[in-house]
Amino acid sequence: MPWPESTALLAPLVLWFEEHRRAMPWRHTDLSILHPDPYAVLVSELMLQQTQVATVIPYFQRWMAEFPNLSALAGASDDVVHKAWEGLGYYRRARHLHASAKHIDQQGWPADFESLMQLPGLGPYTAAAMASIAFQWPEPALDGNAFRVLARLLGLEGDPKLQAKTLRPWLRPALEKHGPSRITQGLMELGATLCAPTPNCWRCPLADTCEALRLNATNRIPPVIQRRRPKETEMWLVAIEAEGHWLLREPAEKGLLAGLWTWPRVETAALVRETIAAESALPYTSITLRAWPGWTQIYTHRRESVSPLHLKIMKRFEAPEGCRWIAGTAVDALAFGKRDRRLMELLKGPGSAPLQGPDPLQIIGLIRGDAGRAR
Ligand code: SF4
């Protein structure tokens, strides 16, 4: 059976959104006109990828105070940008935002949707959200919330994301008739509030025409997609201190923690597996050692059992490749992810615990890259 027209089906959303929308610092009150600050929309959309609204709001406010416009962001250094993003996670978003700001600062805002899609970090969803919310272009933006609402409203079986190519042209007339920004944000808002995984149908403006509600199938539409099991790692996270300096790993260019400074780490399995050259142990006859209870650091596809460790030695050794000794006073200005920031906070406190292993010489040897050589 063909789907009913989106213009009629989504019409009740307009009044509901007008009356029930939550105030957000990037949300403009008049949704009939162009957004007065597309940069604010860009910042909010990048921050909202993977992060909830309540968490984003204080970050957004601090960000806009530090980088009030595109030029301010474009002119900032990578370190300053990463520092401002610190704690929000998924740091690739900060790099994309920074790169986009530089591009727009030089070339101006893209004039069409295709050019918007070329900006770093703007996939089909974020580009469409920018197009509709910032520029009132009728480009349907389908995030997880919108997919859930539409799947239930239309009674779609299976993963609704697989029907994106059909849903977008179906949705476009509703954006043209009721306003791109209004319908885009209305769908997202409904999915975030009433049409949540456990829906609140009795308050929903679309209840009269909702197919999943009619079929009593809101618990299975859309189906829950099983996530991949995260990879598990056990590690020592090690702060080595010598002569008022700390040994840190320089930011990687790619990967989960790209752009961030990290403490050296040693996988617990490596302590069993590797042997250390005798000469690497010699300079460290005086070692002060502290440890604290560990924690589990959870990423989307990874779970780390982290055991924090502080080793204080008398003299610096040559920093291994990819590492650098940083003066204690300079460490605070660097950007760290949550895991590494947590060790930094522990180091400031007095708390320490007696340690049952590991062998500090083996830890240092592994960090120096001496592992595997025969004793
Ligand atoms: S009636 Fe219920 S399931 Fe249907 S769109 Fe509204 S909240 Fe979602």
Side-chain angles (χ1 to χ4, degrees):
M1 193 174 73
W3 299 334
E5 283 183 7
S6 61
T7 45
L9 212 53
L10 295 177
L13 197 57
V14 175
L15 185 59
W16 175 84
F17 185 58
E18 205 58 44
E19 290 177 349
H20 296 277
R21 67 186 184 187
R22 295 168 294 172
M24 295 176 193
W26 51 85
R27 200 170 249 178
H28 189 46
T29 44
D30 188 349
L31 300 180
S32 310
I33 59 171
L34 295 183
H35 196 290
D37 188 359
Y39 166 66
V41 182
L42 182 66
V43 173
S44 68
E45 283 303 327
L46 268 293
M47 286 189 171
L48 286 165
Q49 291 175 358
Q50 324 269 0
T51 309
Q52 306 236 332
V53 169
T55 307
V56 163
I57 287 175
Y59 275 95
F60 175 85
Q61 287 166 327
R62 282 196 296 272
W63 187 274
M64 296 303 281
E66 187 165 356
F67 313 112
N69 51 50
L70 272 171
S71 304
L73 178 57
S77 72
D78 291 351
D79 274 346
V80 167
V81 170
H82 278 108
K83 188 72 189 164
W85 197 274
E86 194 177 72
L88 202 51
Y90 299 99
Y91 289 80
R92 203 161 45 141
R93 298 177 295 172
R95 289 191 295 284
H96 285 153
L97 181 53
H98 195 200
S100 288
K102 287 180 186 169
H103 178 91
I104 302 163
D105 195 43
Q106 284 183 354
Q107 318 262 333
W109 281 97
D112 55 44
F113 183 60
E114 290 309 313
S115 316
L116 208 49
M117 288 259 289
Q118 305 304 314
L119 290 176
L122 268 66
Y125 162 72
T126 310
M130 274 302 294
S132 56
I133 298 171
F135 303 120
Q136 298 283 10
W137 299 340
E139 291 297 337
L142 298 172
D143 69 346
N145 286 328
F147 273 122
R148 187 168 54 251
V149 173
L150 295 178
R152 286 171 171 167
L153 188 62
L154 299 170
L156 305 181
E157 297 289 344
D159 183 354
K161 291 188 177 123
L162 300 178
Q163 303 201 43
K165 280 196 176 144
T166 321
L167 282 169
R168 285 198 191 96
W170 173 80
L171 198 52
R172 191 166 279 115
L175 271 67
E176 285 165 347
K177 173 149 192 207
H178 303 299
S181 180
R182 195 176 283 119
I183 290 295
T184 297
Q185 295 194 71
L187 273 176
M188 292 175 188
E189 190 85 344
L190 190 70
T193 54
L194 300 186
C195 197
T198 303
N200 228 329
C201 300
W202 63 278
R203 290 170 55 204
C204 178
L206 307 180
D208 285 350
T209 51
C210 178
E211 192 61 9
L213 182 60
R214 186 183 74 77
L215 297 169
N216 196 20
T218 56
N219 59 342
R220 64 171 180 82
I221 297 180
V224 177
I225 308 292
Q226 293 297 331
R227 286 197 168 179
R228 245 190 316 148
R229 248 179 94 82
K231 190 175 165 225
E232 313 251 355
T233 318
E234 270 183 47
M235 66 167 72
W236 290 94
L237 192 62
V238 189
I240 302 182
E241 183 184 6
E243 303 175 271
H245 287 66
W246 297 94
L247 186 69
L248 283 164
R249 284 169 62 153
E250 294 165 339
E253 285 187 11
K254 287 197 265 178
L256 188 65
L257 298 177
L260 299 172
W261 290 81
T262 57
W263 298 106
R265 52 192 182 272
V266 173
E267 287 195 17
T268 314
L271 291 172
V272 179
R273 204 173 54 227
E274 313 282 2
T275 54
I276 305 302
E279 62 269 26
S280 71
L282 293 176
Y284 316 115
T285 47
S286 173
I287 300 179
T288 314
L289 185 145
R290 290 196 293 163
W292 295 264
W295 69 87
T296 303
Q297 195 75 40
I298 297 174
Y299 303 92
T300 314
H301 301 301
R302 206 161 86 194
R303 279 168 69 93
E304 293 176 346
S305 297
V306 180
S307 298
L309 197 63
H310 173 206
L311 299 177
K312 189 169 180 180
I313 56 178
M314 297 297 283
K315 285 194 83 60
R316 278 178 277 174
F317 49 81
E318 189 182 338
E321 195 181 334
C323 290
R324 215 188 296 171
W325 288 101
I326 304 284
T329 46
V331 171
D332 257 338
L334 305 177
F336 290 88
K338 273 193 187 147
R339 180 196 67 195
D340 298 79
R341 170 67 53 192
R342 190 161 170 178
L343 173 53
M344 199 146 143
E345 295 306 318
L346 288 173
L347 292 167
K348 290 177 187 162
S352 61
L355 185 70
Q356 308 280 317
D359 176 359
L361 299 180
Q362 199 185 7
I363 291 266
I364 293 174
L366 283 166
I367 289 170
R368 288 187 59 193
D370 295 330
R373 284 197 259 146
R375 272 180 196 272

